[in-house]
Amino acid sequence: MHSFRNDYMEGAHPYVLDALVSTNAEQHPGYTEDALCDKARAAIRQAIEKSDVRESLHDAGIDAAALQVEFVAGGTMANLVSIAACLQAHECVIAAPDGHINVHETGAIEACGHKVLVTSDSDGLLSVEGIDAVMKFHEYGSNFHMVKPRLLYVSLATETGLVLTAGELRDLRAYADTHDLLVFIDGARLACGLASNRCDATLADVCAAADIFTIGGTKNGALFGEAIVIRNADIQRDFRFVMKQKGAVMAKGRLLGAQFDALFSTTGAQADVPEAVGDEPLYLSLGRHAVALAMKLRETLKNRGFDAFTSDSSTNQQFILLENTTAQSFVHAFDADVIAHPDDAHTVVRMTCSWATTEDDIAAVDVELSHIG
């Protein structure tokens, strides 16, 4: 049975793997100062510019050519470096209670000396109201006895599979501009967020809303790696210094460049992805595929009577509330991930689809559910 534990169980998409193999014998300078990384940077900038259907970049005065694009090995490293580059020693970040940096990164941000303040928002969807309450409690950073709020942390696709819309992104940006705040968007599952049928935002909308954001490769077809896009010139200035200090600069950075060049190629690599739209980059097509299969998984579960979802997720993760004994069967049959125990009798399990999940995998779930049911 295909494992539904998470979306990084497999290695890399074949096109990405081919890119690594075909460039393996080439010699390149280190530390992402190579031609492969430069090609990937150009491809990412082009994808952002091409997605600007609402002229979000134009309205925000953003020149895609001026965007700084860097590469690091993993998601926690991307978040740590990005946030460290945004904040001075006395400044802090605001996040939703179940934001990834607050729950799943072992205090990495606090270990760098920056407090994470949490709002009362649920499901990771940071709201203007929630931010404003935290800001007022900290007296808008004017009380020097308290840490100074400076950065908003949001995920386009939250830990519970919900998504921010283009309008919500604009509202966060407007609030940040009014209150001298920066915005960091965690894009670990950016492709799946953009592919959600409830998300009308584009790469350009994300770029316009954020001072800095990430493009997750680890969970979307790359062997490993995340891209970091910085549009704020003040953050750009010393960003590579911060990367080096935090141990985030890979000597063989060309491995990251080769992968992201493949993911953002539009040269027919997505031909084998049925859900692909036009000549969009393979990166977006793979996210669209993962979400499409997750929606089929959701329908399959509902049709078999497993319809107690704890989240109205429209991305590649599905969360099911089950009686404990049934949850054990799910974990055994599907390698599902145990998320929570809301009470003594129930368990919440997560089933996650990826770029590698197939129609046959969902059909096999349907057969197995008939036995569990």
Side-chain angles (χ1 to χ4, degrees):
M1 172 63 69
H2 177 83
S3 172
F4 290 87
R5 178 175 292 270
N6 56 51
D7 42 11
Y8 44 92
M9 297 285 284
E10 297 85 10
H13 185 274
Y15 192 76
V16 173
L17 205 56
D18 286 346
L20 289 168
V21 172
S22 66
T23 59
N24 185 58
E26 296 178 7
Q27 292 183 308
H28 289 274
Y31 310 111
T32 70
E33 297 176 340
D34 59 89
L36 295 175
C37 286
D38 285 343
K39 280 186 65 182
R41 291 182 177 108
I44 289 172
R45 293 187 188 106
Q46 183 180 35
I48 293 170
E49 191 169 32
K50 189 174 180 180
S51 73
D52 195 18
V53 295
R54 276 184 287 269
E55 296 193 339
S56 299
L57 301 182
H58 176 270
D59 293 344
I62 298 171
D63 177 8
L67 296 172
Q68 183 174 339
V69 182
E70 302 293 351
F71 304 103
V72 298
T76 298
M77 179 59 71
N79 291 345
L80 186 154
V81 169
S82 297
I83 291 173
C86 289
L87 302 179
Q88 297 187 53
H90 60 283
E91 294 176 332
C92 67
V93 55
I94 298 175
D98 55 357
H100 200 76
I101 60 169
N102 189 52
V103 179
H104 291 119
E105 294 188 347
T106 324
I109 307 307
E110 289 90 344
C112 288
H114 300 293
K115 189 175 182 63
V116 178
L117 302 177
V118 296
T119 68
S120 59
D121 297 310
S122 60
D123 293 318
L125 290 174
L126 199 64
S127 71
V128 167
E129 294 77 16
I131 298 164
D132 200 50
V134 172
M135 289 284 284
K136 288 177 178 176
F137 181 81
H138 285 77
E139 300 176 22
Y140 288 86
S142 62
N143 184 342
F144 66 86
H145 295 288
M146 307 171 100
V147 289
K148 181 181 180 181
R150 175 61 171 152
L151 178 67
L152 304 180
Y153 167 91
V154 295
S155 297
L156 185 74
T158 75
E159 293 296 294
T160 55
L162 304 186
V163 294
L164 290 165
T165 65
E168 289 167 333
L169 289 173
R170 287 193 296 270
D171 290 344
L172 290 172
R173 179 74 261 168
Y175 185 93
D177 289 341
T178 303
H179 296 84
D180 192 29
L181 297 173
L182 302 172
V183 177
F184 169 51
I185 298 178
D186 181 345
R189 290 190 172 95
L190 183 66
C192 289
L194 293 172
S196 164
N197 61 8
R198 298 199 185 115
C199 181
D200 59 344
T202 66
L203 271 173
D205 294 323
V206 171
C207 185
D211 291 275
I212 179 171
F213 71 97
T214 62
I215 299 174
T218 304
K219 296 174 180 176
N220 196 52
L223 193 61
F224 60 89
E226 318 288 298
I228 305 173
V229 181
I230 313 113
R231 77 169 181 92
N232 185 307
D234 291 334
I235 302 172
Q236 288 179 355
R237 186 178 59 245
D238 292 329
F239 194 83
R240 286 182 65 83
F241 288 91
V242 177
M243 286 178 64
K244 182 64 177 180
Q245 186 186 67
K246 303 299 182 188
V249 181
M250 286 183 61
K252 294 186 179 181
R254 45 84 66 78
L255 300 176
L256 293 163
Q259 294 183 80
F260 275 92
D261 180 44
L263 287 170
F264 278 86
S265 168
T266 58
T267 56
Q270 69 277 54
D272 294 330
V273 184
E275 298 81 9
V277 175
D279 62 348
E280 69 181 1
L282 176 63
Y283 180 79
L284 297 180
S285 297
L286 294 182
R288 200 181 297 279
H289 173 79
V291 171
L293 270 292
M295 293 303 100
K296 290 182 179 180
L297 173 63
R298 188 180 181 95
E299 286 303 308
T300 298
L301 290 164
K302 289 170 64 176
N303 291 339
R304 288 293 182 180
F306 299 99
D307 55 1
F309 297 98
T310 61
S311 167
D312 192 17
S313 172
S314 60
T315 61
N316 66 318
Q317 303 179 92
Q318 298 301 316
F319 303 84
I320 312 105
L321 178 68
L322 301 166
E323 293 184 357
N324 290 340
T325 54
T326 305
Q328 291 175 3
S329 298
F330 262 66
V331 171
H332 176 74
F334 310 123
D335 194 28
D337 194 17
V338 174
I339 297 297
H341 299 281
D343 55 50
D344 292 340
H346 295 89
T347 300
V348 178
V349 301
R350 179 186 70 171
M351 296 180 71
T352 306
C353 294
S354 77
W355 62 269
T357 307
T358 67
E359 299 273 0
D360 288 343
D361 295 328
I362 305 302
V365 169
D366 189 35
V367 172
E368 187 64 29
L369 287 175
S370 67
H371 302 311
I372 295 176

